[in-house]
Amino acid sequence: MAKKQFKAESKRLLDLMIHSIYTHQEIFLREIISNASDAMDKLAYTALTDDKVSVNREELKITLTRNESDGVLTVSDRGIGMTKEELEENLGTICKSGSLGFKQNMEQTEDIDIIGQFGVGFYAAFMVSDNVTVISKKYGEDTAWKWTSNGGDGYTVTEAQRAYPGTDIIMTLKKDTEDEQYSRFLKEWELRSLVKKYSDYIRYPICMQVQKSRRKEGSSDEHPEYESYTEMETLNSMVPIWQRNKKDVTAEEYNTFYREKFMDYSEPARVISFSAEGNVSFKALLYIPSKAPFDYYSKDYKRGLQLYSSGVMIMDACEDLLPEHFSFVRGVVDSQDLSLNISRELLQHDRQLKIIARGIEKKIKAELTAMLENDREKYCDFFAAFGRQLKYGAVAQYGAHKDATQDLLLFYSNREQKLITLKEYIDSMAEGQEKIYYLAGESVDRLSKMPQVRTLKDRGYDVLLLTDEVDEFVPQTLMTYSEKSFCNAATEDLGLQTEEEKEKLKEQTEKKQSLLTFVKDSLGDDVTQVRLVTNATSAPVCLVPASGMSFEMEKYMKRMNPEFNMPAMRILELNPEHPAVQALEVAVATDAQKAKDYVTLLYNQALLLADLPISDPAAYTELVCKFMK
Ligand code: ADP
Ligand code: MG
């Protein structure tokens, strides 16, 4: 019988797995057991939706069989089984459901613990086996099939016998070496502890014949005699962790469940376990991760909670249970009230799901708020990982979800030199301050040196320094917070001038008209307007955008789309108190060429201060040198 080859990438992975030394080889059992459990889930689910299929739940179990003399370990299930085609398709191709990220990641770092991170599943069996044989009979079919492979060079499929639908995974373990005792995977205690460690929450019994000892019947109390016997025992506790009483579950158990279920090495930042009664009753076990998965901010990331109904997994990632702004939450929801006889598509629109989703959103918000209030340091770590998602949430759909998100946002406070909430900003506003001031730009360091910051600081006003790309959209979308409006200190009137000051500015402008006209004429279309500073500043000049778009927004748009061709219009402001501007005024009256040079110098300085490129750096440098002679 001709051997078929594994698909190319499968072969590479096999090599990688077999020839690298894993400290976690034992996880092969977890993978094989979880596949068996999945197969029974599928059968149970099919039975719920298809009248022709019926299942006796008693029969749904996983059996481990040890054959120590032959060195063979068998894992059998009464699941849905596989057809010949499915055997080839599922076991001949790597990571059928495995993540795409896996392959990408493998290219970069071959020594990474692939299995732990991605759960490559079935192939893990080859880490400990010389040969793996799979005998499977699909539910509803008459023929069983045998798939067999030694991992290295392909596999064969032949017809076989099997009494019931289901699958046997028959592993001929490798011979012991100095480094690895493969034979330990045939020891009762070892298997027992591996099941406990990795597969305790599998909802089907995992059974094994175990050695027991009892007192011989008829032996006397003085001279008790014992005999050993074997008995089928269920090794796992089965009851899902979320169904257990909260006070009986340790933090460690919650964390272990999280790490294994969601393939995360780090402890979750927060565990939320709650149940709701009412129109729809449900239990939920939710986790707020402490680190963002590598693909979190990419399209590959799948949001959603795992949905169970009466112990049957219905959906792996039910999106409708989790709003986009909380998409980082992982977890499980279990409700016996969901109508199971409807198809998955219909289920998504189920009114009951909406009720559950609302409960979950509320709960997550409450938990995050509690973390914000009681454990600020942890919250800041959380925010570093997922804050951007919350900000996206605040601006999405024109702020439709701002109620759920705005109180959870943190921005950098110039006064406090740390992240604060909008509420904290409002609570510490100075006497008479009416607006929430913010500046958006590349770095806190740069922003804090902007002249507007100084102006506001002199008044005792704080400024939020926004440095994330999405940041500037937040005030623009929210517009107000707690009835205070946002003010972009770079583009908008700071609203600090009194009527008197405004009057004075008008007078001054009239007096300096010839200066302003000269500067505007010299600069031509580079600026739309030249005027005297409207806000006190210590710099001689200041460039402000004329339209609603700030320079930062302009830069952002350019980065998003290099074709972007609607730059913010520039207004040049002159500070008449500054000696440099006064020198310019003198030059305008006496030496037109010198005055032109001064204008060029000052305009370029304004560009530099605004962190905008100057059009001819060489000419600018020359000009500076000219005046140093
Ligand atoms: P995953 O479980 O992530 O899909 P695996 O490599 O563990 O990846 O398994 C590949 C596929 O092989 C499964 O998706 C399933 O279709 C099939 N499979 C594996 N073991 C069994 C089994 N015991 N019964 C039925 N199908 C199985
Ligand atoms: Mg699997």
Side-chain angles (χ1 to χ4, degrees):
M1 156 115 219
K3 276 203 173 138
K4 299 199 181 172
Q5 285 305 311
F6 287 108
K7 300 225 168 116
E9 65 276 63
S10 312
K11 193 158 163 35
R12 248 191 101 207
L13 175 68
L14 273 172
D15 285 348
L16 202 69
M17 284 192 359
I18 296 164
H19 300 296
S20 350
I21 299 124
Y22 278 109
T23 45
H24 282 96
Q25 288 182 327
E26 61 190 35
I27 61 91
F28 82 95
L29 188 64
R30 171 193 79 190
E31 295 297 327
I32 297 301
I33 287 178
S34 95
N35 284 350
S37 168
D38 289 349
M40 293 192 289
D41 273 352
K42 283 178 197 159
L43 182 63
Y45 181 77
T46 314
L48 283 166
T49 50
D50 183 345
D51 292 343
K52 291 189 284 297
V53 180
S54 67
V55 190
N56 180 356
R57 279 196 71 92
E58 306 277 278
E59 287 172 353
L60 295 184
K61 60 179 173 204
I62 298 164
T63 313
L64 308 185
T65 312
R66 318 174 287 124
N67 181 337
E68 282 192 87
S69 51
D70 294 343
V72 176
L73 174 67
T74 302
V75 179
S76 306
D77 66 64
R78 295 281 293 259
I80 191 136
M82 285 177 274
T83 62
K84 179 173 187 248
E85 290 70 33
E86 284 168 337
L87 277 167
E88 297 206 25
E89 174 67 17
N90 297 340
L91 308 184
T93 320
I94 191 169
C95 293
K96 275 264 50 211
S97 77
S99 58
L100 205 123
F102 163 70
K103 268 186 257 158
Q104 292 162 349
N105 218 319
M106 186 165 74
E107 299 301 330
Q108 291 154 12
T109 45
E110 299 229 335
D111 56 5
I112 197 164
D113 185 350
I114 295 161
I115 296 171
Q117 290 210 349
F118 301 102
V120 291
F122 174 74
Y123 284 83
F126 286 104
M127 291 194 305
V128 298
S129 312
D130 279 330
N131 179 284
V132 179
T133 295
V134 181
I135 296 176
S136 195
K137 186 173 182 181
K138 175 92 175 191
Y139 190 94
E141 305 258 322
D142 297 326
T143 324
W145 294 93
K146 174 165 132 184
W147 179 101
T148 184
S149 170
N150 60 9
D153 48 320
Y155 58 89
T156 58
V157 183
T158 49
E159 215 174 304
Q161 292 299 314
R162 200 178 192 282
Y164 310 99
T167 304
D168 301 317
I169 309 287
I170 305 160
M171 293 164 276
T172 307
L173 298 179
K174 293 185 185 181
K175 299 278 165 292
D176 287 351
T177 65
E178 260 174 46
D179 300 326
E180 186 61 63
Q181 294 284 105
Y182 297 100
S183 57
R184 71 189 165 101
F185 299 124
L186 293 168
K187 300 274 183 261
E188 184 187 309
W189 57 267
E190 178 79 11
L191 291 169
R192 187 195 280 279
S193 72
L194 287 180
V195 167
K196 259 300 189 224
K197 182 168 170 192
Y198 292 112
S199 313
D200 199 35
Y201 306 121
I202 292 291
R203 292 178 326 288
Y204 303 100
I206 301 168
C207 305
M208 187 168 72
Q209 288 283 353
V210 297
Q211 289 282 342
K212 300 214 163 158
S213 134
R214 66 187 161 206
R215 215 161 113 190
K216 253 188 178 159
E217 235 173 278
S219 71
S220 67
D221 280 355
E222 295 95 77
H223 304 287
E225 285 177 59
Y226 293 90
E227 61 180 0
S228 65
Y229 67 103
T230 61
E231 191 179 81
M232 204 56 138
E233 191 181 297
T234 299
L235 308 178
N236 54 329
S237 54
M238 281 190 294
V239 181
I241 189 166
W242 59 89
Q243 294 288 7
R244 287 166 56 194
N245 207 324
K246 218 189 319 197
K247 61 181 196 314
D248 298 338
V249 185
T250 63
E252 184 46 36
E253 282 177 298
Y254 276 133
N255 288 355
T256 307
F257 175 77
Y258 167 77
R259 286 199 305 266
E260 282 162 16
K261 182 125 200 144
F262 301 107
M263 306 279 178
D264 189 349
Y265 277 147
S266 22
E267 307 276 287
R270 202 93 175 177
V271 182
I272 313 171
S273 166
F274 74 110
S275 52
E277 315 269 312
N279 277 348
V280 187
S281 304
F282 65 94
K283 285 201 160 69
L285 175 56
L286 310 177
Y287 293 92
I288 297 169
S290 52
K291 292 201 180 70
F294 72 94
D295 61 350
Y296 183 60
Y297 287 106
S298 81
K299 282 204 174 67
D300 295 337
Y301 180 78
K302 247 178 111 188
R303 85 159 196 269
L305 299 176
Q306 220 175 49
L307 181 61
Y308 286 86
S309 178
S310 316
V312 181
M313 204 261 279
I314 313 185
M315 227 184 276
D316 193 32
C318 181
E319 285 193 12
D320 293 5
L321 285 177
L322 204 59
E324 186 84 41
H325 46 271
F326 293 149
S327 65
F328 45 83
V329 174
R330 318 296 297 266
V332 172
V333 174
D334 196 337
S335 170
Q336 65 270 40
D337 293 344
L338 289 173
S339 36
L340 264 177
N341 294 327
I342 51 178
S343 75
R344 290 182 185 215
E345 285 75 21
L346 279 176
L347 184 66
Q348 292 181 22
H349 302 287
D350 202 313
R351 191 185 57 87
Q352 293 156 307
L353 270 195
K354 292 223 170 68
I355 297 175
I356 300 179
R358 231 172 294 140
I360 285 174
E361 180 178 9
K362 256 209 211 129
K363 187 74 186 179
I364 295 172
K365 185 180 175 199
E367 281 295 326
L368 289 174
T369 307
M371 181 160 50
L372 174 67
E373 282 163 6
N374 310 327
D375 195 347
R376 189 58 170 254
E377 203 176 315
K378 205 166 188 185
Y379 188 83
C380 285
D381 289 344
F382 153 78
F383 197 79
F386 300 109
R388 195 187 299 169
Q389 188 63 21
L390 293 178
K391 294 184 232 167
Y392 286 143
V395 302
Q397 293 166 290
Y398 307 102
H401 303 289
K402 66 178 183 186
D403 287 345
T405 47
Q406 61 185 357
D407 302 330
L408 298 171
L409 302 181
L410 297 178
F411 297 105
Y412 189 85
S413 149
N414 183 59
R415 182 198 289 151
E416 305 295 329
Q417 312 245 312
K418 63 173 193 195
L419 295 171
I420 61 168
T421 61
L422 294 173
K423 178 162 187 310
E424 286 160 354
Y425 183 96
I426 302 258
D427 289 348
S428 70
M429 272 184 7
E431 218 15 66
Q433 183 180 348
E434 282 305 320
K435 299 181 179 189
I436 306 170
Y437 295 102
Y438 69 93
L439 279 166
E442 216 154 282
S443 71
V444 160
D445 194 42
R446 271 216 131 91
L447 288 171
S448 61
K449 295 197 178 103
M450 284 176 68
Q452 292 91 338
V453 173
R454 181 67 176 279
T455 309
L456 291 164
K457 200 174 167 191
D458 288 347
R459 300 246 177 172
Y461 293 2
D462 193 9
V463 194
L464 298 174
L465 306 179
L466 315 186
T467 53
D468 201 0
E469 283 183 350
V470 58
D471 279 351
E472 198 172 352
F473 295 100
V474 175
Q476 290 183 357
T477 307
L478 299 183
M479 301 210 289
T480 61
Y481 181 85
S482 187
E483 292 172 15
K484 301 281 182 211
S485 54
F486 285 94
C487 172
N488 185 338
T491 59
E492 291 165 44
D493 182 8
L494 299 182
L496 303 179
Q497 284 176 323
T498 59
E499 285 307 313
E500 225 170 294
E501 284 167 329
K502 278 186 196 156
E503 199 50 44
K504 194 173 148 221
L505 183 69
K506 220 170 126 197
E507 263 168 45
Q508 261 191 326
T509 303
E510 273 160 29
K511 257 199 270 168
K512 309 243 179 236
Q513 202 50 57
S514 59
L515 169 67
L516 297 173
T517 313
F518 181 87
V519 177
K520 170 72 181 96
D521 291 347
S522 310
L523 291 173
D525 288 339
D526 284 349
V527 295
T528 48
Q529 195 194 347
V530 178
R531 68 185 183 208
L532 296 182
V533 282
T534 44
N535 290 305
T537 167
S538 51
V541 281
C542 178
L543 209 55
V544 296
S547 55
M549 179 163 48
S550 70
F551 296 137
E552 293 312 320
M553 183 68 84
E554 174 187 324
K555 286 178 219 160
Y556 173 75
M557 300 300 260
K558 268 221 182 82
R559 269 199 301 275
M560 301 304 284
N561 171 18
E563 309 278 289
F564 179 76
N565 197 19
M566 276 178 24
M569 310 248 252
R570 289 136 166 71
I571 295 177
L572 184 67
E573 291 193 339
L574 303 179
N575 175 5
E577 316 292 334
H578 198 283
V581 175
Q582 287 163 356
L584 170 63
E585 207 175 353
V586 174
V588 170
T590 55
D591 182 344
Q593 184 49 46
K594 193 171 168 191
K596 272 217 157 70
D597 285 347
Y598 278 5
V599 171
T600 311
L601 280 177
L602 288 173
Y603 178 60
N604 280 310
Q605 281 184 21
L607 286 170
L608 287 171
L609 283 173
D611 201 18
L612 289 165
I614 53 180
S615 60
D616 191 347
Y620 172 67
T621 318
E622 239 169 67
L623 201 54
V624 173
C625 292
K626 181 173 149 188
F627 285 101
M628 289 174 73
K629 276 199 212 127

